Amino acid sequence: MEKIEKNHVLTEGCESLGIQLSKKQEEQFENYYNILIEWNQVMNLTGITDYDEVMRKHFVDSLSIVKAIDINKCSALLDVGTGAGFPGLPLKIVYPHLRVVLLDSLNKRINFLNEVTTKLGLTGIETIHGRAEDYARQKDYREQFDIVVSRAVANLASLSEYCIPYTKNNGLFISYKSGNVDTEYKEAKKAVFLLGGREKEVVKFMLPGSDIERSLVVIEKVKSTPKTYPRKAGLPAKEPIK
C-alpha cells in the first residue's frame, strides 16, 4: 500500500479549495505547526494540537476565504485579533505577494508570530501589538487595507467597529464565523451601516473533509468611516452598536 503523505489533510483540503501548494509551502506549514506546538507548551495559543486538526481547523479554514474572494487581486491585508496567526499567516504563506499586517493585543503572541515569520523566511509582513481601537486612529493604518479579516471570537457588531475603519473604500471586511450566523448578521446591520459598510454576502460552506459548518460574512466598504469610530478601547465589546 502506498504510504499516505503526513500532510494529506492539508494538501487535500487545499485542493478542494482550488489551491495547489508548492513543496516549499508544504514545508512552511509543517514548520509552522511544529513551532505552534512548541510554544503552546508554555503559553496558551490554541486548544487544538492534534496534527490533522490543526491542518484542517486552522490552516485550511484560514484559506477558505478563497470561497468569497480572489486573493490574487488583493495587495494589502490586515488580520485583526490574529492570535496565533490565523488567518493572516496561512494566507501569507500561500499568497506571498500580499503585504500582511498582524494585529494582536497580547505581546507574547506577537513574539510567537515574529518567531514564525523569521523561521519560515517570510517577508512583507508586519506584527503590531495593541488594541484595534487605537491603531485604527493612526493614518498609517486607517483605511489602508484592501481586505481586513478576523477569526476573533467576538460578535459581528463589535468586530465591524474594530475592522471597518481599517478598510479602504471599495475594500472588504471579511469575518470568519460558524455556520449559524443569521441572527448575529441581522443584529450587526446598524453598526455596519454607521461605520460605512454594506453587507455584500454571507458565504456558507462545510469545512473541507469535515461536517463543520462555516460562514464568511463579507462586508463592502462604501464610504469613509466617521471619525467618531472606533470608540475608545473596550467600548465596542462592552456596548456594541445596536
Side-chain angles (χ1 to χ4, degrees), residues 86-157:
F86 312 123
L89 274 176
L91 288 170
K92 177 64 179 178
I93 291 171
V94 175
Y95 300 97
H97 75 280
L98 283 175
R99 178 175 75 86
V100 171
V101 177
L102 306 174
L103 168 65
D104 199 85
S105 61
L106 188 63
N107 200 46
K108 287 182 179 180
R109 287 196 286 258
I110 294 295
N111 292 336
F112 163 75
L113 297 170
N114 289 337
E115 174 89 352
V116 175
T117 299
T118 300
K119 289 195 171 179
L120 268 55
L122 300 174
T123 58
I125 190 164
E126 177 187 0
T127 57
I128 51 177
H129 167 232
R131 299 290 294 258
E133 301 97 319
D134 296 329
Y135 274 99
R137 296 196 170 281
Q138 298 187 18
K139 64 178 182 179
D140 288 344
Y141 298 99
R142 190 178 182 90
E143 300 188 335
Q144 295 299 309
F145 298 90
D146 306 303
I147 178 170
V148 179
V149 295
S150 184
R151 278 176 92 234
V153 180
N155 72 73
L156 187 58

Side-chain angles (χ1 to χ4, degrees), residues 5-12 26-27 30 51 55:
E5 290 186 3
K6 188 180 179 185
N7 61 358
H8 71 282
V9 171
L10 176 64
T11 55
E12 290 178 4
E26 289 182 22
E27 290 173 355
E30 194 79 21
Y51 181 86
M55 293 293 155

